[in-house]
Amino acid sequence: MKEHDFIKIITEQTKSDFLGDDCAHLKDLGIVVTQDNFIENVHFKSEWATPYQIGYKAAAVNISDILASGAKPEYITIGLSMPDLGEKFIKEFYRGIEAGSYGAKVIGGDITGADKVFVSITAIGNTNGRKISSRKNAKAGYSVISRGKYGESSKGLAELIKGKRGNEFIKAHLEPELDVEFSKNIAENIKEDYAMMDTSDGLADALFQIAKASCVTIKTNYIEGMFGAEDYHLVAAVPEGLMDENIIARVYPFDGTYLQIDDRKYSNYDELGLYKHWS
C-alpha cells in the first residue's frame, strides 16, 4: 500500500477537516498540533546514533512541522518505550530532547518497557501573532523560497551505511539544524495566504505536494540533492517580494503537470522515485 492511499483511507474514515497538512490548526484554541514516531531500526540505528542524537532528532522532526506551519514551538509530550538501557541513556536522551525542542517545554508523556526504542512525540505550537500556512495556499504568480544545502543528510546516511562515523554529513543526518528564523520571518510579516512545508521527504517531494494540494504547476531548475530526504529545511510559496534572495522556483496556473524540473514534467507522485514506507 502507498502512503498516500493510506492517508486517503484515514481521511475518508475519520471525515476530519483537519487532515492534509503536517500540523492540525486548531483556530479556536490558537494552536497547531503535530505528532511523529521515531522507531529504532526504522528511523535510526542505535549503533549509529548516541542517546543524545536519538533524543535530539526525535524532537526536531516534530518541531520542524511546527515551524513549517509558521507557529512558535511551545510544548511537547513524549511517549518513550525502550528496554532497560540504564540511567546514562535516559539522561543523554533527554538532554538531546531539550536541544532538539528549540525552546518548547516538555509537559508530560508516557514511559513503557519494550524490546527496542520507540519514541512518539506530540508537539504544540502557538499561533499568536502569526499567520499559519497550508500546503493548499500556493497561487499562480507566487515565488517559491528556501535556503540551505540539500542532499547533505542523504550523504550522511550513505556514509553511515558504509560504516563511517563522525563527519559533517553524518552530523547533518543525525542532528539536523532547524531554521527557526525563516519560519518566524514569514509568519510574522506575511499578510496573504501562503504554503509552507519542511523537506523531511525531500525538496522534490515538498514542491510536488504543495503544487498538487494547491492545484498549480511549480517550475524549477534541478537543484543538487533535491531528491534526497531528511534535510529538514523549509520551503514556502509566497507572494513576490518576500525574501526574494531565496527564490528557487515559480508558481504557475495548473497546466496538467504539478512539478516541472528543467524539461522533465511530473504529473504523478510515483514518478519522483522517492522513499516509500511500504515497498
Side-chain angles (χ1 to χ4, degrees), residues 51-171:
Y52 172 90
Q53 290 169 330
I54 295 169
Y56 176 94
K57 193 168 182 180
V61 299
N62 284 273
I63 298 302
S64 183
D65 285 340
I66 298 295
L67 297 178
S69 78
K72 177 187 176 184
E74 202 74 79
Y75 304 109
I76 64 170
T77 65
I78 306 165
L80 174 61
S81 300
M82 56 176 282
D84 185 357
L85 298 176
E87 183 178 323
K88 183 178 180 182
F89 180 97
I90 295 293
K91 286 182 177 180
E92 286 299 297
F93 174 84
Y94 278 92
R95 191 169 69 86
I97 287 285
E98 183 177 6
S101 296
Y102 286 79
K105 299 298 182 183
V106 177
I107 59 169
D110 188 29
I111 301 172
T112 64
D115 60 357
K116 62 181 179 181
V117 179
F118 182 107
V119 188
S120 185
I121 290 179
T122 298
I124 300 169
N126 189 329
T127 68
N128 185 38
R130 300 188 179 207
K131 192 168 183 66
I132 301 304
S133 76
S134 173
R135 64 180 69 175
K136 67 178 182 292
N137 284 341
K139 296 177 174 61
Y142 277 20
S143 56
V144 180
I145 58 176
S146 187
R147 60 187 184 188
K149 294 181 180 179
Y150 283 94
E152 292 190 343
S153 179
S154 293
K155 290 178 182 177
L157 177 58
E159 298 278 81
L160 286 167
I161 291 171
K162 292 175 184 176
K164 297 183 180 179
R165 301 290 183 269
N167 62 37
E168 61 178 315
F169 296 131
I170 290 173
K171 184 174 182 181

Side-chain angles (χ1 to χ4, degrees), residues 21 66 230:
D21 288 298
I66 298 295
E230 296 196 83

